[in-house]
Amino acid sequence: MHPRLNIAALAPELYQAVRTLDGAVAKSGLDKRTLHLVKLRASQINGCAYCVDLHVKDALADGMDAQLLHLVAVWRESPFFDARDRAILEWTESVTLAAETGIPDAAFETVRAIFSETDIAKLTIAIGTINIWNRIAVSSRMQHPVGTEKNAVAP
């Protein structure tokens, strides 16, 4: 697979707007664990190797357990995740796959049992933001580093 285009260079104002939104999400008050789970799970669903690689590294750097990160893709089958994690992951999947899921009431009730409506709104925007990044990275064929940082191919 080879990079297709450099979206950051071709649409710099729009790319910067996404970066600004991402920064606002990071400062929204959602904790790092929540954001790491959202970013990793959405990136897995969207098949974004660049983002999976990036977000696993970020989560590890923030002290998240490696085994937990390995099990995010199969969270329903793992006792590693508590009710809060499960609500986050269920909402992430439902929103990321909106065209397929219709974002069912059951998923909303699960997340609403744990989070305030304000936090659900922030969580939903966080999910939307990583989905934008995934679409940018997958459509442009961004390449994650292999081995060393000098091997990285970025658009």
Side-chain angles (χ1 to χ4, degrees), residues 15-35:
Y15 193 87
Q16 183 56 46
V18 178
R19 288 180 61 118
T20 300
L21 175 59
D22 194 50
V25 167
K27 296 176 185 172
S28 70
L30 293 173
D31 63 272
K32 285 185 177 187
R33 180 184 176 95
T34 296
L35 292 174

Side-chain angles (χ1 to χ4, degrees), residues 60-71:
L60 288 169
D62 281 340
M64 286 189 71
D65 185 87
Q67 184 180 11
L68 179 134
L69 296 174
H70 288 297
L71 293 167

Side-chain angles (χ1 to χ4, degrees), residues 15 36 38-44 46-59 129-138 142-145:
Y15 193 87
H36 288 310
V38 164
K39 290 175 181 181
L40 180 54
R41 186 65 190 126
S43 297
Q44 290 170 337
N46 289 320
C48 186
Y50 181 90
C51 294
V52 168
D53 180 67
L54 173 70
H55 297 303
V56 165
K57 289 175 181 173
D58 287 350
T129 303
I130 188 56
N131 274 276
I132 292 170
W133 283 124
N134 292 158
R135 279 144 182 79
I136 290 169
V138 173
M142 288 177 72
Q143 300 292 297
H144 64 83

Side-chain angles (χ1 to χ4, degrees), residues 68-88:
L68 179 134
L69 296 174
H70 288 297
L71 293 167
V72 167
V74 291
W75 63 270
R76 284 182 178 85
E77 289 78 33
S78 174
F80 227 111
F81 302 93
D82 63 19
R84 186 174 190 283
D85 292 341
R86 291 175 182 284
I88 292 164

